[in-house]
Amino acid sequence: MTMFSDTHTAQAKAILAANDRGGYTVPTHGLYPFQWNWDSAFVAMGFATFDIDRALRELERLAEGQWADGMIPQIIFHTPADSYFPGPEVWGTRHIIATSGITQPPVFASALKFIAERADVSFEPRIRALFAVADRYHRWFASARDPEATGLVSTLHNWETGRDNSPEWDIPFARVPETTTTVIRRRDTGHVDASMRPTDADYRRYIHLVDLYRSLDWNPAAMLAKTPFRVADIGTNAILLAAEEALLALQPRFGASNSEADIRARILRLSRGLSGLWNADHGWYLSRDLLASAPIAVRTSAGLLPLLTNVPDRAHVAHMSGVVDAHLDAVCMGIASTLPGEPGFEPKRYWRGPVWAIINWMIAEGLGRHGHPALAERVRKSTAEAIERRGFGEYFDPTTGEALGGATFSWTAAILLMLRDQ
Ligand code: DGY
C-alpha cells in the first residue's frame, strides 16, 4: 500500500467515525440522518477491515429494527432528526423503535459472512445471534414477498430497490397516482442540487405508496393485493440469492441444525426465479414488471448482480463481461447505473446514470467469482482511483468522474477500505 492510499484509508476511517451515532452509522450528515438497511451492511464490511467488534455492532443496531415478522426495515429512526422527509410520523409503523414500513436489498447475511471470515472465535456467540436474525429476514422475504413460491420476490416501492429513480421503474411507476394525503415537505433538495435528485412528481408517487401501505397497516398480504407498483427487481433478487448462499456457507458453524434444508430449498427456488430474468433479446438480466407480466427493457448495472450468485451460465457471463469491457473503455469510471444509450440515461441524476461504488464492488466480486479476475481488477481500480481523486461522494458522473450527491458518504468510505484491504 502506498503512502497516497494510506492517507485515503485514514480519511475513510475518519468519515466512518464522524458518521457514527453510537454503534450505528448514518449514510451522511444531514441528507440521511438515520440508520439505513443496506448502507449499514456495507459500512459493517468496511469496519470489518479494521474493527470486528464495531462491524458486528453495526449489524446488531440494525437488528434492533427487525419486526416481529422478520422484516428488517429500510430505515431505523433511532433518534429524532428533522433534516429528512418522510420521517416516522409519515410512516406510522408500530415497531418499538420507530422504523419505515418497507425493506431494502438484503445485503445483511453477505456482510455477516464477510465479517465472520475475519473474526476470531471470541465473536462466535454474536455471529450466531446475527445468523438467526438473517435467517428470519430471509424467511420473511419468502413468505411475505413470494407467497406463491414463484422464485421471485416482489418489491413494492422504489425505495425498496435502493435505486429509487432508475429508468427501470418509469413504466410501472407511471401507474401510481400522484395524489397524497400527506403534505410533502422535501428536505433532500435542501442538501443536494435538485438536478441530481428524483423529481417532485417522483416524490408525489413515492408518498402515494407510503400513504396507501400505511392505510393497510403495513400488512404484507394486503399490500401485495392492493399495490399499483409490483416489480421483480433484478438487484433485490440477485442480492437475496447471494445472501442465501452466504447463509448456507455460515450455517455449519453458526446456524441451527434444522435451518440447512430450508436455506437449500429457498436457494433452489430463487435460482429458478433469477435464471428466468435473463433476457436473450437484450443479452442482459432485466427486472420484471409483475403487474404487466413483462420484462423491463432497460440495461442497468444492477443487471450484472446475478454474477454474485451461481446462476449465470458461461455464455451469459461471456456476453456480460464483453459488454463491461467495452463499457469501461467508454466511460471514465465504470459501471454506470443505467448504461449510456439506454432510454432515460442521465449522467448526474441519482440512479439514472451515475456510478455507485457499492454496485461496482459487487460487480467486481461477481466477475472474480465467474473467472474474470483481470476485468474485476479494472472495475476495482477505477473505483478506488475515482474515490481517491474525486472524494467520498454518494455517486459519480460516469462521463466526467465528478463526485455527486451527498459528501463524506459512509458506504463510499467503506468500499474504499474494502478495496484497499484486498
Ligand atoms: C431517499 O430518501 O433518498 C432514500 O433513497 C430512501 O431510502
PDB file of all heavy atoms in Angstrom, residues 242-277:
ATOM      1  N   ALA A 242     -27.651 -14.206  -3.328  1.00  0.00           N
ATOM      2  CA  ALA A 242     -26.255 -14.187  -2.848  1.00  0.00           C
ATOM      3  C   ALA A 242     -26.226 -14.276  -1.322  1.00  0.00           C
ATOM      4  O   ALA A 242     -25.380 -14.963  -0.735  1.00  0.00           O
ATOM      5  CB  ALA A 242     -25.549 -12.925  -3.324  1.00  0.00           C
ATOM      6  N   ALA A 243     -27.174 -13.598  -0.677  1.00  0.00           N
ATOM      7  CA  ALA A 243     -27.230 -13.614   0.797  1.00  0.00           C
ATOM      8  C   ALA A 243     -27.627 -15.001   1.303  1.00  0.00           C
ATOM      9  O   ALA A 243     -27.125 -15.472   2.335  1.00  0.00           O
ATOM     10  CB  ALA A 243     -28.214 -12.555   1.287  1.00  0.00           C
ATOM     11  N   GLU A 244     -28.517 -15.671   0.584  1.00  0.00           N
ATOM     12  CA  GLU A 244     -28.887 -17.047   0.971  1.00  0.00           C
ATOM     13  C   GLU A 244     -27.673 -17.974   0.833  1.00  0.00           C
ATOM     14  O   GLU A 244     -27.434 -18.848   1.670  1.00  0.00           O
ATOM     15  CB  GLU A 244     -30.040 -17.571   0.104  1.00  0.00           C
ATOM     16  CG  GLU A 244     -31.379 -16.877   0.309  1.00  0.00           C
ATOM     17  CD  GLU A 244     -32.134 -17.338   1.557  1.00  0.00           C
ATOM     18  OE1 GLU A 244     -31.503 -17.856   2.513  1.00  0.00           O
ATOM     19  OE2 GLU A 244     -33.374 -17.159   1.580  1.00  0.00           O
ATOM     20  N   GLU A 245     -26.899 -17.773  -0.241  1.00  0.00           N
ATOM     21  CA  GLU A 245     -25.692 -18.599  -0.422  1.00  0.00           C
ATOM     22  C   GLU A 245     -24.699 -18.316   0.713  1.00  0.00           C
ATOM     23  O   GLU A 245     -24.026 -19.237   1.210  1.00  0.00           O
ATOM     24  CB  GLU A 245     -25.056 -18.332  -1.799  1.00  0.00           C
ATOM     25  CG  GLU A 245     -25.900 -18.887  -2.959  1.00  0.00           C
ATOM     26  CD  GLU A 245     -25.326 -18.571  -4.351  1.00  0.00           C
ATOM     27  OE1 GLU A 245     -24.291 -17.891  -4.450  1.00  0.00           O
ATOM     28  OE2 GLU A 245     -25.938 -19.005  -5.357  1.00  0.00           O
ATOM     29  N   ALA A 246     -24.618 -17.056   1.140  1.00  0.00           N
ATOM     30  CA  ALA A 246     -23.726 -16.700   2.267  1.00  0.00           C
ATOM     31  C   ALA A 246     -24.212 -17.390   3.542  1.00  0.00           C
ATOM     32  O   ALA A 246     -23.420 -17.925   4.334  1.00  0.00           O
ATOM     33  CB  ALA A 246     -23.695 -15.183   2.456  1.00  0.00           C
ATOM     34  N   LEU A 247     -25.535 -17.382   3.732  1.00  0.00           N
ATOM     35  CA  LEU A 247     -26.110 -18.007   4.929  1.00  0.00           C
ATOM     36  C   LEU A 247     -25.813 -19.510   4.950  1.00  0.00           C
ATOM     37  O   LEU A 247     -25.471 -20.079   5.997  1.00  0.00           O
ATOM     38  CB  LEU A 247     -27.625 -17.773   4.921  1.00  0.00           C
ATOM     39  CG  LEU A 247     -28.332 -17.704   6.261  1.00  0.00           C
ATOM     40  CD1 LEU A 247     -27.774 -16.595   7.137  1.00  0.00           C
ATOM     41  CD2 LEU A 247     -29.830 -17.507   6.049  1.00  0.00           C
ATOM     42  N   LEU A 248     -25.914 -20.130   3.770  1.00  0.00           N
ATOM     43  CA  LEU A 248     -25.623 -21.571   3.690  1.00  0.00           C
ATOM     44  C   LEU A 248     -24.159 -21.843   4.053  1.00  0.00           C
ATOM     45  O   LEU A 248     -23.857 -22.823   4.737  1.00  0.00           O
ATOM     46  CB  LEU A 248     -25.934 -22.085   2.281  1.00  0.00           C
ATOM     47  CG  LEU A 248     -25.821 -23.596   2.096  1.00  0.00           C
ATOM     48  CD1 LEU A 248     -26.845 -24.342   2.954  1.00  0.00           C
ATOM     49  CD2 LEU A 248     -26.000 -23.982   0.618  1.00  0.00           C
ATOM     50  N   ALA A 249     -23.265 -20.966   3.608  1.00  0.00           N
ATOM     51  CA  ALA A 249     -21.843 -21.156   3.931  1.00  0.00           C
ATOM     52  C   ALA A 249     -21.599 -20.986   5.439  1.00  0.00           C
ATOM     53  O   ALA A 249     -20.738 -21.657   6.018  1.00  0.00           O
ATOM     54  CB  ALA A 249     -20.999 -20.151   3.141  1.00  0.00           C
ATOM     55  N   LEU A 250     -22.372 -20.108   6.084  1.00  0.00           N
ATOM     56  CA  LEU A 250     -22.198 -19.867   7.522  1.00  0.00           C
ATOM     57  C   LEU A 250     -22.886 -20.943   8.371  1.00  0.00           C
ATOM     58  O   LEU A 250     -22.549 -21.138   9.540  1.00  0.00           O
ATOM     59  CB  LEU A 250     -22.796 -18.505   7.910  1.00  0.00           C
ATOM     60  CG  LEU A 250     -22.078 -17.253   7.393  1.00  0.00           C
ATOM     61  CD1 LEU A 250     -22.905 -16.001   7.709  1.00  0.00           C
ATOM     62  CD2 LEU A 250     -20.691 -17.120   8.024  1.00  0.00           C
ATOM     63  N   GLN A 251     -23.867 -21.612   7.772  1.00  0.00           N
ATOM     64  CA  GLN A 251     -24.765 -22.486   8.548  1.00  0.00           C
ATOM     65  C   GLN A 251     -24.052 -23.558   9.385  1.00  0.00           C
ATOM     66  O   GLN A 251     -24.362 -23.702  10.580  1.00  0.00           O
ATOM     67  CB  GLN A 251     -25.805 -23.097   7.591  1.00  0.00           C
ATOM     68  CG  GLN A 251     -26.976 -23.771   8.269  1.00  0.00           C
ATOM     69  CD  GLN A 251     -26.661 -25.178   8.726  1.00  0.00           C
ATOM     70  OE1 GLN A 251     -25.816 -25.855   8.141  1.00  0.00           O
ATOM     71  NE2 GLN A 251     -27.328 -25.623   9.780  1.00  0.00           N
ATOM     72  N   PRO A 252     -23.076 -24.285   8.843  1.00  0.00           N
ATOM     73  CA  PRO A 252     -22.491 -25.359   9.670  1.00  0.00           C
ATOM     74  C   PRO A 252     -21.893 -24.841  10.979  1.00  0.00           C
ATOM     75  O   PRO A 252     -21.968 -25.520  11.997  1.00  0.00           O
ATOM     76  CB  PRO A 252     -21.402 -25.947   8.761  1.00  0.00           C
ATOM     77  CG  PRO A 252     -21.789 -25.555   7.374  1.00  0.00           C
ATOM     78  CD  PRO A 252     -22.507 -24.251   7.501  1.00  0.00           C
ATOM     79  N   ARG A 253     -21.326 -23.644  10.954  1.00  0.00           N
ATOM     80  CA  ARG A 253     -20.690 -23.107  12.176  1.00  0.00           C
ATOM     81  C   ARG A 253     -21.646 -22.315  13.050  1.00  0.00           C
ATOM     82  O   ARG A 253     -21.534 -22.314  14.279  1.00  0.00           O
ATOM     83  CB  ARG A 253     -19.529 -22.187  11.760  1.00  0.00           C
ATOM     84  CG  ARG A 253     -18.187 -22.667  12.297  1.00  0.00           C
ATOM     85  CD  ARG A 253     -17.077 -21.772  11.824  1.00  0.00           C
ATOM     86  NE  ARG A 253     -16.573 -20.928  12.902  1.00  0.00           N
ATOM     87  CZ  ARG A 253     -15.789 -19.888  12.714  1.00  0.00           C
ATOM     88  NH1 ARG A 253     -15.452 -19.515  11.497  1.00  0.00           N
ATOM     89  NH2 ARG A 253     -15.340 -19.207  13.743  1.00  0.00           N
ATOM     90  N   PHE A 254     -22.596 -21.607  12.419  1.00  0.00           N
ATOM     91  CA  PHE A 254     -23.359 -20.627  13.194  1.00  0.00           C
ATOM     92  C   PHE A 254     -24.875 -20.852  13.183  1.00  0.00           C
ATOM     93  O   PHE A 254     -25.592 -20.164  13.905  1.00  0.00           O
ATOM     94  CB  PHE A 254     -23.072 -19.209  12.668  1.00  0.00           C
ATOM     95  CG  PHE A 254     -21.616 -18.848  12.692  1.00  0.00           C
ATOM     96  CD1 PHE A 254     -20.863 -18.816  11.518  1.00  0.00           C
ATOM     97  CD2 PHE A 254     -20.974 -18.556  13.882  1.00  0.00           C
ATOM     98  CE1 PHE A 254     -19.515 -18.487  11.537  1.00  0.00           C
ATOM     99  CE2 PHE A 254     -19.622 -18.217  13.916  1.00  0.00           C
ATOM    100  CZ  PHE A 254     -18.892 -18.191  12.742  1.00  0.00           C
ATOM    101  N   GLY A 255     -25.351 -21.772  12.353  1.00  0.00           N
ATOM    102  CA  GLY A 255     -26.802 -21.907  12.206  1.00  0.00           C
ATOM    103  C   GLY A 255     -27.384 -23.023  13.038  1.00  0.00           C
ATOM    104  O   GLY A 255     -26.689 -23.976  13.397  1.00  0.00           O
ATOM    105  N   ALA A 256     -28.690 -22.926  13.315  1.00  0.00           N
ATOM    106  CA  ALA A 256     -29.383 -24.022  13.983  1.00  0.00           C
ATOM    107  C   ALA A 256     -29.340 -25.225  13.044  1.00  0.00           C
ATOM    108  O   ALA A 256     -29.382 -25.081  11.823  1.00  0.00           O
ATOM    109  CB  ALA A 256     -30.825 -23.617  14.256  1.00  0.00           C
ATOM    110  N   SER A 257     -29.262 -26.440  13.629  1.00  0.00           N
ATOM    111  CA  SER A 257     -29.047 -27.625  12.788  1.00  0.00           C
ATOM    112  C   SER A 257     -30.207 -27.848  11.815  1.00  0.00           C
ATOM    113  O   SER A 257     -30.020 -28.392  10.731  1.00  0.00           O
ATOM    114  CB  SER A 257     -28.830 -28.853  13.660  1.00  0.00           C
ATOM    115  OG  SER A 257     -29.866 -28.913  14.597  1.00  0.00           O
ATOM    116  N   ASN A 258     -31.413 -27.383  12.190  1.00  0.00           N
ATOM    117  CA  ASN A 258     -32.544 -27.630  11.285  1.00  0.00           C
ATOM    118  C   ASN A 258     -32.724 -26.534  10.228  1.00  0.00           C
ATOM    119  O   ASN A 258     -33.692 -26.538   9.494  1.00  0.00           O
ATOM    120  CB  ASN A 258     -33.840 -27.806  12.087  1.00  0.00           C
ATOM    121  CG  ASN A 258     -34.139 -26.574  12.925  1.00  0.00           C
ATOM    122  OD1 ASN A 258     -33.373 -25.615  12.906  1.00  0.00           O
ATOM    123  ND2 ASN A 258     -35.244 -26.611  13.656  1.00  0.00           N
ATOM    124  N   SER A 259     -31.786 -25.577  10.159  1.00  0.00           N
ATOM    125  CA  SER A 259     -32.003 -24.473   9.201  1.00  0.00           C
ATOM    126  C   SER A 259     -31.509 -24.819   7.790  1.00  0.00           C
ATOM    127  O   SER A 259     -31.922 -24.203   6.811  1.00  0.00           O
ATOM    128  CB  SER A 259     -31.321 -23.186   9.686  1.00  0.00           C
ATOM    129  OG  SER A 259     -29.940 -23.395   9.936  1.00  0.00           O
ATOM    130  N   GLU A 260     -30.636 -25.836   7.676  1.00  0.00           N
ATOM    131  CA  GLU A 260     -29.971 -26.078   6.388  1.00  0.00           C
ATOM    132  C   GLU A 260     -30.961 -26.431   5.259  1.00  0.00           C
ATOM    133  O   GLU A 260     -30.874 -25.875   4.158  1.00  0.00           O
ATOM    134  CB  GLU A 260     -28.935 -27.200   6.544  1.00  0.00           C
ATOM    135  CG  GLU A 260     -28.161 -27.384   5.251  1.00  0.00           C
ATOM    136  CD  GLU A 260     -27.267 -28.623   5.258  1.00  0.00           C
ATOM    137  OE1 GLU A 260     -26.955 -29.142   6.344  1.00  0.00           O
ATOM    138  OE2 GLU A 260     -26.892 -29.064   4.150  1.00  0.00           O
ATOM    139  N   ALA A 261     -31.886 -27.340   5.555  1.00  0.00           N
ATOM    140  CA  ALA A 261     -32.798 -27.794   4.486  1.00  0.00           C
ATOM    141  C   ALA A 261     -33.626 -26.624   3.955  1.00  0.00           C
ATOM    142  O   ALA A 261     -33.839 -26.486   2.735  1.00  0.00           O
ATOM    143  CB  ALA A 261     -33.701 -28.894   5.014  1.00  0.00           C
ATOM    144  N   ASP A 262     -34.082 -25.755   4.870  1.00  0.00           N
ATOM    145  CA  ASP A 262     -34.892 -24.609   4.431  1.00  0.00           C
ATOM    146  C   ASP A 262     -34.079 -23.656   3.568  1.00  0.00           C
ATOM    147  O   ASP A 262     -34.569 -23.133   2.561  1.00  0.00           O
ATOM    148  CB  ASP A 262     -35.418 -23.834   5.643  1.00  0.00           C
ATOM    149  CG  ASP A 262     -36.633 -24.511   6.246  1.00  0.00           C
ATOM    150  OD1 ASP A 262     -37.096 -25.498   5.636  1.00  0.00           O
ATOM    151  OD2 ASP A 262     -37.092 -24.059   7.302  1.00  0.00           O
ATOM    152  N   ILE A 263     -32.829 -23.414   3.975  1.00  0.00           N
ATOM    153  CA  ILE A 263     -32.000 -22.497   3.175  1.00  0.00           C
ATOM    154  C   ILE A 263     -31.797 -23.090   1.783  1.00  0.00           C
ATOM    155  O   ILE A 263     -31.951 -22.401   0.769  1.00  0.00           O
ATOM    156  CB  ILE A 263     -30.631 -22.235   3.858  1.00  0.00           C
ATOM    157  CG1 ILE A 263     -30.825 -21.598   5.228  1.00  0.00           C
ATOM    158  CG2 ILE A 263     -29.760 -21.322   2.986  1.00  0.00           C
ATOM    159  CD1 ILE A 263     -29.549 -21.520   6.072  1.00  0.00           C
ATOM    160  N   ARG A 264     -31.498 -24.381   1.747  1.00  0.00           N
ATOM    161  CA  ARG A 264     -31.290 -25.019   0.441  1.00  0.00           C
ATOM    162  C   ARG A 264     -32.544 -24.926  -0.430  1.00  0.00           C
ATOM    163  O   ARG A 264     -32.466 -24.676  -1.631  1.00  0.00           O
ATOM    164  CB  ARG A 264     -30.896 -26.492   0.608  1.00  0.00           C
ATOM    165  CG  ARG A 264     -29.468 -26.665   1.050  1.00  0.00           C
ATOM    166  CD  ARG A 264     -29.023 -28.118   0.921  1.00  0.00           C
ATOM    167  NE  ARG A 264     -27.744 -28.308   1.558  1.00  0.00           N
ATOM    168  CZ  ARG A 264     -26.572 -27.990   1.005  1.00  0.00           C
ATOM    169  NH1 ARG A 264     -26.522 -27.465  -0.203  1.00  0.00           N
ATOM    170  NH2 ARG A 264     -25.439 -28.181   1.656  1.00  0.00           N
ATOM    171  N   ALA A 265     -33.707 -25.110   0.176  1.00  0.00           N
ATOM    172  CA  ALA A 265     -34.958 -25.041  -0.596  1.00  0.00           C
ATOM    173  C   ALA A 265     -35.169 -23.623  -1.138  1.00  0.00           C
ATOM    174  O   ALA A 265     -35.576 -23.430  -2.293  1.00  0.00           O
ATOM    175  CB  ALA A 265     -36.133 -25.462   0.276  1.00  0.00           C
ATOM    176  N   ARG A 266     -34.859 -22.629  -0.300  1.00  0.00           N
ATOM    177  CA  ARG A 266     -35.031 -21.238  -0.765  1.00  0.00           C
ATOM    178  C   ARG A 266     -34.049 -20.937  -1.899  1.00  0.00           C
ATOM    179  O   ARG A 266     -34.395 -20.255  -2.868  1.00  0.00           O
ATOM    180  CB  ARG A 266     -34.841 -20.259   0.408  1.00  0.00           C
ATOM    181  CG  ARG A 266     -35.905 -20.375   1.500  1.00  0.00           C
ATOM    182  CD  ARG A 266     -35.936 -19.149   2.402  1.00  0.00           C
ATOM    183  NE  ARG A 266     -34.692 -18.861   3.082  1.00  0.00           N
ATOM    184  CZ  ARG A 266     -34.391 -19.177   4.349  1.00  0.00           C
ATOM    185  NH1 ARG A 266     -35.282 -19.834   5.092  1.00  0.00           N
ATOM    186  NH2 ARG A 266     -33.244 -18.840   4.891  1.00  0.00           N
ATOM    187  N   ILE A 267     -32.826 -21.460  -1.775  1.00  0.00           N
ATOM    188  CA  ILE A 267     -31.825 -21.213  -2.825  1.00  0.00           C
ATOM    189  C   ILE A 267     -32.279 -21.811  -4.157  1.00  0.00           C
ATOM    190  O   ILE A 267     -32.184 -21.173  -5.212  1.00  0.00           O
ATOM    191  CB  ILE A 267     -30.445 -21.768  -2.393  1.00  0.00           C
ATOM    192  CG1 ILE A 267     -29.856 -20.879  -1.307  1.00  0.00           C
ATOM    193  CG2 ILE A 267     -29.490 -21.885  -3.588  1.00  0.00           C
ATOM    194  CD1 ILE A 267     -28.519 -21.333  -0.750  1.00  0.00           C
ATOM    195  N   LEU A 268     -32.815 -23.004  -4.082  1.00  0.00           N
ATOM    196  CA  LEU A 268     -33.289 -23.665  -5.308  1.00  0.00           C
ATOM    197  C   LEU A 268     -34.379 -22.833  -5.988  1.00  0.00           C
ATOM    198  O   LEU A 268     -34.354 -22.588  -7.196  1.00  0.00           O
ATOM    199  CB  LEU A 268     -33.831 -25.048  -4.915  1.00  0.00           C
ATOM    200  CG  LEU A 268     -33.782 -26.131  -5.960  1.00  0.00           C
ATOM    201  CD1 LEU A 268     -32.329 -26.398  -6.346  1.00  0.00           C
ATOM    202  CD2 LEU A 268     -34.420 -27.415  -5.403  1.00  0.00           C
ATOM    203  N   ARG A 269     -35.320 -22.375  -5.161  1.00  0.00           N
ATOM    204  CA  ARG A 269     -36.445 -21.613  -5.709  1.00  0.00           C
ATOM    205  C   ARG A 269     -35.968 -20.283  -6.298  1.00  0.00           C
ATOM    206  O   ARG A 269     -36.317 -19.907  -7.410  1.00  0.00           O
ATOM    207  CB  ARG A 269     -37.445 -21.380  -4.572  1.00  0.00           C
ATOM    208  CG  ARG A 269     -38.848 -21.211  -5.038  1.00  0.00           C
ATOM    209  CD  ARG A 269     -39.872 -21.386  -3.953  1.00  0.00           C
ATOM    210  NE  ARG A 269     -39.595 -20.635  -2.756  1.00  0.00           N
ATOM    211  CZ  ARG A 269     -39.581 -21.153  -1.536  1.00  0.00           C
ATOM    212  NH1 ARG A 269     -39.839 -22.439  -1.355  1.00  0.00           N
ATOM    213  NH2 ARG A 269     -39.339 -20.400  -0.493  1.00  0.00           N
ATOM    214  N   LEU A 270     -35.132 -19.566  -5.533  1.00  0.00           N
ATOM    215  CA  LEU A 270     -34.658 -18.258  -6.005  1.00  0.00           C
ATOM    216  C   LEU A 270     -33.784 -18.406  -7.252  1.00  0.00           C
ATOM    217  O   LEU A 270     -33.801 -17.544  -8.132  1.00  0.00           O
ATOM    218  CB  LEU A 270     -33.857 -17.556  -4.900  1.00  0.00           C
ATOM    219  CG  LEU A 270     -34.669 -17.007  -3.723  1.00  0.00           C
ATOM    220  CD1 LEU A 270     -33.749 -16.624  -2.558  1.00  0.00           C
ATOM    221  CD2 LEU A 270     -35.499 -15.788  -4.145  1.00  0.00           C
ATOM    222  N   SER A 271     -33.025 -19.503  -7.333  1.00  0.00           N
ATOM    223  CA  SER A 271     -32.163 -19.708  -8.506  1.00  0.00           C
ATOM    224  C   SER A 271     -33.016 -19.870  -9.758  1.00  0.00           C
ATOM    225  O   SER A 271     -32.703 -19.324 -10.822  1.00  0.00           O
ATOM    226  CB  SER A 271     -31.281 -20.943  -8.336  1.00  0.00           C
ATOM    227  OG  SER A 271     -30.468 -20.799  -7.198  1.00  0.00           O
ATOM    228  N   ARG A 272     -34.109 -20.611  -9.610  1.00  0.00           N
ATOM    229  CA  ARG A 272     -35.016 -20.785 -10.762  1.00  0.00           C
ATOM    230  C   ARG A 272     -35.600 -19.439 -11.172  1.00  0.00           C
ATOM    231  O   ARG A 272     -35.658 -19.093 -12.352  1.00  0.00           O
ATOM    232  CB  ARG A 272     -36.163 -21.732 -10.400  1.00  0.00           C
ATOM    233  CG  ARG A 272     -35.828 -23.164 -10.694  1.00  0.00           C
ATOM    234  CD  ARG A 272     -37.074 -24.045 -10.708  1.00  0.00           C
ATOM    235  NE  ARG A 272     -36.807 -25.226  -9.919  1.00  0.00           N
ATOM    236  CZ  ARG A 272     -37.329 -25.512  -8.727  1.00  0.00           C
ATOM    237  NH1 ARG A 272     -38.224 -24.710  -8.179  1.00  0.00           N
ATOM    238  NH2 ARG A 272     -36.997 -26.591  -8.089  1.00  0.00           N
ATOM    239  N   GLY A 273     -36.024 -18.674 -10.185  1.00  0.00           N
ATOM    240  CA  GLY A 273     -36.614 -17.358 -10.488  1.00  0.00           C
ATOM    241  C   GLY A 273     -35.612 -16.446 -11.167  1.00  0.00           C
ATOM    242  O   GLY A 273     -35.901 -15.833 -12.206  1.00  0.00           O
ATOM    243  N   LEU A 274     -34.403 -16.390 -10.617  1.00  0.00           N
ATOM    244  CA  LEU A 274     -33.406 -15.455 -11.145  1.00  0.00           C
ATOM    245  C   LEU A 274     -32.995 -15.850 -12.558  1.00  0.00           C
ATOM    246  O   LEU A 274     -32.846 -14.987 -13.434  1.00  0.00           O
ATOM    247  CB  LEU A 274     -32.185 -15.427 -10.215  1.00  0.00           C
ATOM    248  CG  LEU A 274     -31.190 -14.290 -10.460  1.00  0.00           C
ATOM    249  CD1 LEU A 274     -31.831 -12.930 -10.229  1.00  0.00           C
ATOM    250  CD2 LEU A 274     -29.965 -14.436  -9.546  1.00  0.00           C
ATOM    251  N   SER A 275     -32.849 -17.150 -12.817  1.00  0.00           N
ATOM    252  CA  SER A 275     -32.427 -17.510 -14.185  1.00  0.00           C
ATOM    253  C   SER A 275     -33.493 -17.114 -15.201  1.00  0.00           C
ATOM    254  O   SER A 275     -33.165 -16.807 -16.352  1.00  0.00           O
ATOM    255  CB  SER A 275     -32.019 -18.977 -14.323  1.00  0.00           C
ATOM    256  OG  SER A 275     -32.909 -19.780 -13.655  1.00  0.00           O
ATOM    257  N   GLY A 276     -34.747 -17.039 -14.770  1.00  0.00           N
ATOM    258  CA  GLY A 276     -35.815 -16.598 -15.679  1.00  0.00           C
ATOM    259  C   GLY A 276     -35.740 -15.113 -16.010  1.00  0.00           C
ATOM    260  O   GLY A 276     -36.459 -14.640 -16.896  1.00  0.00           O
ATOM    261  N   LEU A 277     -34.909 -14.357 -15.319  1.00  0.00           N
ATOM    262  CA  LEU A 277     -34.802 -12.919 -15.615  1.00  0.00           C
ATOM    263  C   LEU A 277     -33.742 -12.621 -16.676  1.00  0.00           C
ATOM    264  O   LEU A 277     -33.554 -11.473 -17.074  1.00  0.00           O
ATOM    265  CB  LEU A 277     -34.513 -12.120 -14.327  1.00  0.00           C
ATOM    266  CG  LEU A 277     -35.636 -12.129 -13.280  1.00  0.00           C
ATOM    267  CD1 LEU A 277     -35.272 -11.267 -12.079  1.00  0.00           C
ATOM    268  CD2 LEU A 277     -36.962 -11.652 -13.871  1.00  0.00           C
TER     269      LEU A 277
END
